[in-house]
Amino acid sequence: MRRYCRFTLYRLLPLLCLLAGVKTFAQLPETALSVGVKPTRYVTRATLYGVGFANVYDTYLSPQEYKGVDFRLSHESMRMTRFMDGRLSLQSFFQADVGYTHNHVENNNTFSMLANWNYGLHYNFPITENFKLLAGGLVDLDGGALYNLRNSNNPASVRAYGNIDASGMAVWRVRVGHYPLTLRYQVNLPLMGMMFSPHYGQSYYEIFTLGNHRGVLHFTSLHNALSLRQMLTADLPVRRAKMRVAYLWDMQQSKVSGLRTHAYGHVFMVGMVKDLYLLEGKRHR
């Protein structure tokens, strides 16, 4: 009896939400798109966890490269919009990583904590029924800090910058026997932006306490901050769920104010994908 009541409640919940005019999400059946479901209400979300190789370099802290391990978390949301005849898709991608690295003589270590958020649009170019290309632009915001365990004068370095990126994707649906796979390759190239960076030898105490912050914001482009982010994913159905495996190659670097920095990451990630459908009822005044 209890099981029947729970089942009935779960079946009635979407209907109650519709009657109340409340937005909610429901799991989208596999055949939903083939029976008239609006693509603009279709949302794909994925949460991935990964580990890989990190290489960080910051001449504000040390003239040496630091190499070690990278732990990373990412969350992505994608959906189609109504713009341009329904061919414009919206992507939101957030990732955070923590790195623990050491220099080549093994006498010093560095912690890095970095976060990145991309938000933008792609125009979809269907090539065949199972293959399409996407092209567009993203707002790219990055921030974080590095901490050197042996430095006493300037032990930390702050990273803060934003860019406008050119972005492209290729999405390919294939079958291996009777097993369906969705493969995707994405590349983001920052074209221009702004970066916070102290001058060589300038302390953060001088910037934030004494107010000597002239010249700490810098215009960046391909000439002084050539960076690239690439990601390859494969979506694998596992019973009634969907698993995603991914490889991320992240190259962020800069040369401003007499300082050089880079953060390279090679990360393998795995997680789950949810296909959702946004239900929206009529709002009563």
Side-chain angles (χ1 to χ4, degrees):
M1 185 64 183
R2 291 181 179 178
R3 292 183 179 177
Y4 177 78
C5 293
R6 291 178 182 174
F7 176 77
T8 304
L9 180 61
Y10 293 154
R11 291 290 298 273
L12 290 177
L13 184 58
L15 179 60
L16 294 175
C17 292
L18 282 172
L19 294 175
V22 179
K23 291 184 179 180
T24 185
F25 285 96
Q27 189 70 32
L28 184 68
E30 293 181 359
T31 58
L33 292 178
S34 62
V35 293
V37 169
K38 294 181 180 180
T40 57
R41 312 307 295 170
Y42 179 69
V43 182
T44 299
R45 290 180 175 176
T47 301
L48 306 180
Y49 305 89
V51 63
F53 170 77
N55 181 320
V56 296
Y57 178 63
D58 193 327
T59 55
Y60 183 82
L61 299 176
S62 171
Q64 301 182 68
E65 279 188 329
Y66 285 74
K67 300 178 181 179
V69 64
D70 184 304
F71 301 96
R72 195 167 298 222
L73 162 71
S74 73
H75 179 76
E76 180 186 20
S77 175
M78 289 189 67
R79 71 176 180 88
M80 300 302 297
T81 70
R82 298 185 180 92
F83 303 108
M84 295 186 177
D85 297 326
R87 290 196 175 186
L88 206 61
S89 60
L90 177 67
Q91 181 187 36
S92 175
F93 183 83
F94 172 81
Q95 63 173 338
D97 69 275
V98 176
Y100 181 69
T101 55
H102 51 82
N103 59 11
H104 70 284
V105 293
E106 302 283 349
N107 66 356
N108 195 9
N109 298 293
T110 294
F111 282 106
S112 60
M113 295 170 288
L114 304 171
N116 161 253
W117 180 60
N118 294 338
Y119 189 83
L121 298 167
H122 294 88
Y123 188 83
N124 290 242
F125 298 91
I127 306 301
T128 67
E129 184 178 353
N130 296 316
F131 180 73
K132 66 179 179 178
L133 298 175
L134 293 82
L138 303 170
V139 175
D140 184 355
L141 301 178
D142 298 77
L146 276 67
Y147 186 82
N148 191 294
L149 298 184
R150 291 190 61 181
N151 285 11
S152 57
N153 186 23
N154 292 325
S157 176
V158 174
R159 300 279 179 90
Y161 52 96
N163 295 297
I164 301 297
D165 294 7
S167 178
M169 292 190 217
V171 181
W172 187 23
R173 295 180 180 178
V174 298
R175 282 186 175 271
V176 180
H178 297 288
Y179 197 74
L181 302 175
T182 301
L183 305 177
R184 185 185 69 174
Y185 169 74
Q186 180 171 359
V187 56
N188 299 339
L189 174 66
L191 298 179
M192 63 180 66
M194 296 294 294
M195 172 179 287
F196 166 82
S197 175
H199 297 280
Y200 183 82
Q202 185 181 22
S203 68
Y204 290 101
Y205 173 82
E206 181 181 352
I207 297 173
F208 296 109
T209 303
L210 301 182
N212 186 14
H213 45 70
R214 179 176 298 178
V216 297
L217 290 179
H218 306 270
F219 172 78
T220 57
S221 187
L222 302 178
H223 69 288
N224 61 355
L226 180 61
S227 301
L228 196 66
R229 182 173 287 120
Q230 300 182 83
M231 192 171 189
L232 178 64
T233 67
D235 291 351
L236 319 169
V238 180
R239 294 186 178 181
R240 304 184 70 175
K242 189 185 297 183
M243 183 177 70
R244 175 172 294 179
V245 294
Y247 166 69
L248 175 67
W249 179 58
D250 203 352
M251 181 188 76
Q252 306 295 312
Q253 55 188 8
S254 66
K255 181 183 177 182
V256 296
S257 295
L259 299 173
R260 289 178 176 266
T261 71
H262 73 228
Y264 303 150
H266 298 272
V267 185
F268 293 92
M269 309 185 76
V270 64
M272 302 304 296
V273 180
K274 292 184 178 180
D275 296 325
L276 306 169
Y277 182 68
L278 180 63
L279 303 177
E280 185 175 19
K282 296 181 179 180
R283 296 184 180 274
H284 300 284
R285 295 182 180 178

